[in-house]
Amino acid sequence: MSMREESKKGKMTVAEAGRKGGKKTASTHGKEFYEEIGRKGGEKISAKRGPEFYSEIGSKGGSQRAKQH
């Protein structure tokens, strides 16, 4: 085993750590937790940026989706 491989032994990447944490959160909190934080985030962005923001991103997403069909 090289020196580099030995130093990585037992460690995980940021992506692996995030995936592991996400799975743990999902298993302990459930679907309702994600619905609640999503709603709170949406309300916060709506208050900060206003309805024009959602109109703009909606039209961008809609035009991209239309190209797929």
Side-chain angles (χ1 to χ4, degrees), residues 34-58:
Y34 289 103
E35 290 173 350
E36 178 71 12
I37 63 173
R39 184 187 57 74
K40 286 180 179 179
E43 288 174 355
K44 185 89 165 183
I45 293 295
S46 180
K48 184 176 182 180
R49 298 192 178 192
E52 299 82 19
F53 171 73
Y54 286 105
S55 179
E56 183 181 332
I57 64 170

Side-chain angles (χ1 to χ4, degrees), residues 59-69:
S59 64
K60 286 180 182 177
S63 65
Q64 291 299 312
R65 186 72 174 151
K67 289 178 187 177
Q68 294 176 348
H69 293 288

Side-chain angles (χ1 to χ4, degrees), residues 19-31:
R19 191 175 307 108
K20 185 176 179 182
K23 287 182 178 181
K24 178 70 174 176
T25 301
S27 69
T28 57
H29 292 291
K31 181 181 173 184

